[in-house]
């Protein structure tokens, strides 16, 4: 019997945080050294909570490749992320190219996308809230009528906004 295919997944933004990957997959996968994916540009979405990448010629976004992702784990990432596509990623030393799956935001004219994104700043300002939202998403995913990640995200941060406006 043939075993299910194992995937490599290029991640960026919040998925650079080990705690977020662990919350989604229940483990940390092996990962590559830092890599760049060409033909993508990173833009901030919704007040720096997340980073989306869109296809833009001659641009790149830095990340890492999660190695050995199983089909059930890939399903979780598919539910959590945007449109899946295959990309070439280049290790930082420029000597090796990998083919990986990544997730690309298809709406290039989304008015919520702007500016640049800083992982270290995100970790300080937003990671705790994002991790809570991610755990909520995973709890929802187990339900028969699970919300999408975007619906979970919007609901979580709408609740955060309401808490802040009451105080």
């Amino acid at each position: 019997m043939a075993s299910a295919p194992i995937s490599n997944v290029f991640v960026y933004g919040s998925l650079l945080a080990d705690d977020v990957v662990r919350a989604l997959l229940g483990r940390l996968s092996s990962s590559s050294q830092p890599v760049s994916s060409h033909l993508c540009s990173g833009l901030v979405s919704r007040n720096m909570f997340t980073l989306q990448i869109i296809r833009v010629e001659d641009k790149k976004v830095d990340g890492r490749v999660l190695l050995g992702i199983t089909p059930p784990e890939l399903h979780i990432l598919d539910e959590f992320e945007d449109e899946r596509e295959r990309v070439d990623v280049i290790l930082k030393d420029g000597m090796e190219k990998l083919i990986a799956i990544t997730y690309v935001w298809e709406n290039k004219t989304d008015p919520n996308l702007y500016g640049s994104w800083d992982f270290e700043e995100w970790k300080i300002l937003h990671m705790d809230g994002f991790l809570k939202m991610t755990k909520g998403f995973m709890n929802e995913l187990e339900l028969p009528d699970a919300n999408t990640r975007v619906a979970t995200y919007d609901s979580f941060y709408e609740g955060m906004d309401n808490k802040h406006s009451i105080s």
Side-chain angles (χ1 to χ4, degrees):
M1 176 189 251
S3 62
I6 301 297
S7 299
N8 296 326
V9 180
F10 174 72
V11 297
Y12 55 90
S14 60
L15 290 176
L16 293 176
D18 288 345
D19 288 343
V20 174
V21 172
R22 191 180 295 111
L24 289 169
L25 304 182
R27 70 177 182 100
L28 286 179
S29 84
S30 299
S31 64
S32 71
Q33 294 297 315
V35 295
S36 295
S37 174
H38 290 282
L39 302 176
C40 294
S41 178
L43 295 170
V44 176
S45 172
R46 297 183 179 95
N47 302 319
M48 287 211 35
F49 290 128
T50 62
L51 170 68
Q52 306 294 348
I53 58 174
I54 59 175
R55 282 207 168 275
V56 177
E57 294 296 323
D58 300 323
K59 300 287 183 181
K60 67 177 183 166
V61 67
D62 293 331
R64 66 180 174 170
V65 176
L66 301 178
L67 304 167
I69 299 299
T70 66
E73 292 169 333
L74 190 58
H75 172 74
I76 291 168
L77 292 171
D78 286 347
E79 293 295 315
F80 189 72
E81 287 294 339
D82 305 308
E83 294 297 318
R84 182 201 311 178
E85 62 181 74
R86 292 202 179 275
V87 293
D88 292 335
V89 291
I90 300 169
L91 293 180
K92 283 291 188 187
D93 65 11
M95 302 306 280
E96 186 178 352
K97 186 191 315 187
L98 300 171
I99 296 175
I101 293 167
T102 197
Y103 298 91
V104 178
W105 190 252
E106 292 296 318
N107 183 0
K108 292 181 183 179
T109 60
D110 185 338
N112 291 317
L113 298 179
Y114 60 90
S116 60
W117 196 81
D118 182 285
F119 179 66
E120 295 304 321
E121 182 179 357
W122 175 84
K123 281 190 341 187
I124 294 166
L125 298 176
H126 304 293
M127 186 169 143
D128 288 342
F130 191 86
L131 194 53
K132 287 177 189 170
M133 183 279 303
T134 301
K135 290 175 181 176
F137 166 81
M138 288 306 295
N139 289 336
E140 280 281 324
L141 192 59
E142 296 172 6
L143 300 175
D145 294 325
N147 285 331
T148 65
R149 187 252 325 166
V150 173
T152 302
Y153 176 94
D154 288 342
S155 173
F156 179 83
Y157 285 106
E158 186 176 286
M160 295 279 291
D161 290 343
N162 289 338
K163 279 186 193 175
H164 294 291
S165 64
I166 294 171
S167 329

